[in-house]
Each structure stands twice: as C-alpha cells, then as structure tokens.
C-alpha cells in the first residue's frame, strides 16, 4: 500500500508513523507547494505541486496519484479539505481512497459559528457565541456574558486573527480592526466585513484535546484524550495522555452525530464538571502525535479499513500518563530542482 500526504509542510512525524505502520509493505509519499517543506525531505518520494487553489490542481494531483500507485490519500491542511471532499468520488473511481469527510462536514467544521450551533444541537456545551457586535453588546448588557471576550475570524485557522478583549473600548477596536485584516490574513474569501467575524466568551479551566476517530464509512470507533500542558502558535506543544469517562462520552457523541471520516481534532475546556467544546478540525491535528507516542496507531487502522479488514489489536488503546513535548530540529533541504514534480 502506498500512502500520499499532501500539504505535508513540517509534519515529519506523520511520515514516520505511517512508515512504521506500513512495516515495509509500501511507500510513504509527500507533496507540498514548496520544495523547501521539511516533510518532503524524509518521504520515500517527494513532489512539488501547485498551490491547492491553482487551476487544475485536482487533475494534477489525481494524475500524480495514479502515476505513483497511491492507494490512500490524506491532506494535512484545512484549505485543501473542501477541495478533496468535492473531488473524492473522482479519486475513488480510480481506486485512490481519500481520507476526507463529506463536503457538508468540512463546511460545518470550517465555520466556527456553525460549529457552535451544531454542538448546541448535539446537547454539548460550547462558548456563548455572537455573530455580530450588536448581539454581543446586548449579551453584555443583559448579563449573559462578561469580559474577557474573544473576537475571532468565523472561518479561522491556526489561531490567526484572534483578539482577547477586556472592555467595551477594546471590543469595538478589535471588531473594526478584525474586519480590515481578514483578507490580509487569507481568511476573507468566504465573506466580507463583519460577516467574517464572531465573538465568543473566553473559556476558563483546563484545556484538553481529543482525537475522535471514525472509520472510512463514518462510523465512530475511538477517542484519544490529552490534557494540554502548553500551546505554541495555536498548536499543542506539550501534553499528557489520560482516560476520562466524561470526555470519552463527548467524543462518542460528536463522532456519531458528525459522521466524519478518519481523525477529528477537537479542543475543549473543563471547569469543574462543566465541559465546553471549542473547535472541530476533521483531519490529523497538532495533538495527534501525543496519542501516537502513547501507543495509538491510527495510520494502521486507516490502512486496515482501506483493505477491508479490522485494525491490529491495541491500535485504539494509548497508555495513560505519557507526557510528550514537541521540539524543532533541522532537516537538510535538497535544492528545489532535485525534488520531483507531477
């Protein structure tokens, strides 16, 4: 089985996890729009491809997959998920299985306002959320929320454009400034101006990360739980694995209600017995390595499901109490012209 990771970026660890799960039965390939992407340097074969929004991107990627005998395709970037979801059947018709959720799942997770509404409908706690400045001011006046509040892009990613505000003056300034910089941050394509922003209460308590795993048919299979110890650049930097019955139940309810495919990276806060879910990202997220280092084997499960068999025993049983931390390391870069292209 050959695996292709697109928008591979700097997620070298995922190449290692897939290679270990393959056990020599195939190759792990990587593609990125930059020949300087760190992950390309450690793939069995690496390919420079156009940006995901370039004309003909899907045609070129499908041609590359067929030329390389790719069996399983995964994207590691939010912006590519909708593109692959819309084209999934084209790949499947050529026996290339794409680990991506339905377009409506991708749209819901990308839209933080729709995410909050979905969570409320599922009966789960979520931050008090407002779509307009006027709604937030009314909520403050009526005592529904108190400062601090969070002004954030409605279609955000990687914690870009988030502002925490402590009073009315800061709230107004952050709202106006946020409208101006949406397009500069690359977050203004879905809507313009105020429609691209939202306001939420600032959550307190302990932050956790969940890997909520469904199989390739969207059936719930497992939840891996981490207590976050530190964040860096919007991504989990240090964490420890643990068991928590209440959070296992949260994962099950989300996985069954959403019906996503593969991994769902989920962020939430617990303050006493109160649980509030904040984010849903239907892909391998920055928190997965902490599950993998504790023994979880989602790559092995995905490959097994793709081959129509059950995953190896223990793939869904990471050890409790395993603490891990990320660190940067240098990777030698081949000149761009030595890196393959489709």
């Amino acid at each position: 089985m050959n695996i292709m990771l697109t928008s591979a970026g700097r997620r070298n660890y995922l190449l290692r996890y897939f290679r270990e799960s393959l056990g020599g039965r195939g190759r792990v390939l990587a593609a990125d729009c930059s020949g300087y992407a760190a992950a390309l340097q450690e793939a069995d074969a690496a390919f420079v491809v156009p940006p995901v929004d370039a004309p003909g991107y899907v045609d070129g990627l499908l041609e590359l997959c067929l030329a390389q005998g790719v069996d399983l395709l995964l994207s590691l970037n939010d912006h590519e998920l909708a593109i692959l979801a819309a084209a999934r059947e084209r790949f499947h018709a050529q026996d290339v299985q794409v680990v991506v959720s339905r377009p409506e799942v991708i749209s819901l997770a990308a839209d933080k306002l729709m995410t909050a509404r979905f969570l409320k409908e599922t009966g789960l706690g979520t931050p008090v959320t407002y779509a307009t400045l006027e709604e937030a001011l009314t909520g403050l006046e009526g005592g529904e929320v108190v400062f601090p509040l969070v002004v954030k892009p409605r279609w955000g990613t990687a914690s870009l454009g988030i502002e925490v505000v402590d009073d009315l003056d800061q709230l107004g300034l952050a709202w106006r400034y946020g409208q101006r910089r949406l397009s500069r941050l690359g977050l203004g394509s879905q809507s313009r101006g105020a429609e691209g922003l939202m306001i939420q209460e600032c959550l307190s308590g302990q932050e956790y990360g969940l890997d909520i795993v469904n199989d390739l048919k969207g059936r719930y299979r497992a939840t891996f739980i981490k207590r976050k110890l530190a964040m860096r650049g919007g991504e989990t930097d240090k964490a420890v694995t643990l068991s928590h019955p209440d959070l296992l139940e949260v994962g099950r309810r989300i996985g069954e209600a959403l019906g996503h495919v593969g991994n769902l990276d989920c962020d939430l806060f617990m303050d006493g017995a109160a649980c509030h879910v904040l984010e849903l990202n239907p892909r391998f997220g920055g928190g997965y390595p902490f599950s993998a280092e504790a023994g979880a084997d989602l790559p092995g499960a995905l490959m097994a499901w793709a081959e129509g068999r059950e995953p190896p025993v223990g793939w869904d049983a990471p050890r409790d109490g395993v603490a891990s931390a990320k660190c940067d390391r240098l990777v030698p870069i081949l000149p761009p012209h030595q890196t393959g292209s489709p």
Side-chain angles (χ1 to χ4, degrees):
M1 174 171 284
N2 294 324
I3 313 296
M4 172 75 81
L5 304 179
T6 63
S7 300
R10 51 189 288 144
R11 290 181 171 84
N12 299 53
Y13 51 78
L14 279 179
L15 273 70
R16 174 167 63 88
Y17 297 145
F18 273 95
R19 186 175 287 118
E20 290 172 352
S21 296
L22 272 173
R25 297 191 301 118
R27 299 183 299 157
V28 180
L29 317 177
D32 198 274
C33 64
S34 170
Y36 295 102
L40 296 189
Q41 315 311 313
E42 297 184 354
D44 294 321
F47 304 91
V48 177
V49 297
V52 298
D53 57 355
Y57 176 78
V58 169
D59 293 337
L61 182 60
L62 178 55
E63 181 180 347
L64 175 61
C65 289
L66 295 177
Q68 295 297 318
V70 171
D71 301 290
L72 204 62
L73 176 69
L74 302 94
S75 175
L76 308 181
N77 184 277
D78 291 330
H79 300 299
E80 190 176 8
L81 296 178
I83 295 169
L84 291 183
R88 182 174 62 172
E89 295 308 317
R90 286 186 58 194
F91 284 82
H92 286 190
Q94 298 291 333
D95 295 324
V96 180
Q97 295 198 59
V98 186
V99 182
V100 69
S101 299
R102 304 184 313 278
E104 55 268 31
V105 172
I106 302 299
S107 296
L108 184 150
D111 185 338
K112 308 309 178 187
L113 182 61
M114 294 302 298
T115 295
R117 291 172 179 169
F118 162 78
L119 292 167
K120 289 186 67 175
E121 291 169 358
T122 309
L124 295 170
T126 191
V128 177
T129 303
Y130 303 107
T132 68
L133 177 60
E134 290 72 23
E135 289 179 1
L137 293 173
T138 300
L140 285 165
E141 184 178 353
E144 185 178 34
V145 291
V146 296
F147 288 108
L149 296 177
V150 180
V151 180
K152 61 194 292 187
R154 179 173 167 181
W155 288 273
T157 183
S159 296
L160 291 174
I162 292 179
E163 297 286 348
V164 179
V165 298
D166 296 310
D167 56 43
L168 290 173
D169 287 341
Q170 291 181 20
L171 178 59
L173 287 170
W175 185 260
R176 293 190 296 274
Y177 179 54
Q179 292 177 43
R180 292 182 174 221
R181 67 173 176 169
L182 278 176
S183 59
R184 179 163 56 84
L185 292 172
L187 304 174
S189 59
Q190 291 90 345
S191 64
R192 296 180 179 178
E195 292 182 359
L197 292 176
M198 57 187 284
I199 299 170
Q200 288 185 319
E201 67 173 319
C202 189
L203 295 176
S204 60
Q206 174 62 53
E207 187 173 6
Y208 293 85
L210 308 182
D211 294 307
I212 304 173
V213 181
N214 283 3
D215 63 22
L216 297 181
K217 295 182 179 179
R219 298 174 299 197
Y220 174 73
R221 301 298 293 261
T223 296
F224 310 139
I225 304 168
K226 286 89 56 177
R227 178 167 56 88
K228 298 190 180 189
L229 303 175
M231 300 290 292
R232 184 180 184 186
E235 187 172 280
T236 307
D237 194 53
K238 301 179 180 70
V240 58
T241 56
L242 75 158
S243 296
H244 195 302
D246 292 341
L247 296 186
L248 283 174
E249 176 63 13
V250 169
R252 183 192 65 79
R253 290 174 65 179
I254 291 175
E256 291 180 352
L258 194 61
H260 63 280
V261 169
N263 196 35
L264 181 81
D265 182 77
C266 173
D267 297 327
L268 57 84
F269 282 80
M270 288 201 73
D271 191 356
C275 175
H276 293 88
V277 182
L278 184 62
E279 296 272 350
L280 303 176
N281 299 294
R283 54 170 172 77
F284 276 98
Y288 177 72
F290 302 98
S291 300
E293 293 300 316
D297 184 14
L298 180 50
L302 292 172
M303 289 184 280
W305 293 326
E307 294 176 333
R309 56 184 175 84
E310 279 300 300
V313 174
W315 75 272
D316 57 350
R319 302 181 304 279
D320 290 350
V322 177
S324 306
K326 293 178 181 175
C327 65
D328 291 330
R329 62 184 176 90
L330 292 176
V331 178
I333 301 292
L334 293 174
H337 70 272
Q338 294 186 25
T339 305
S341 59

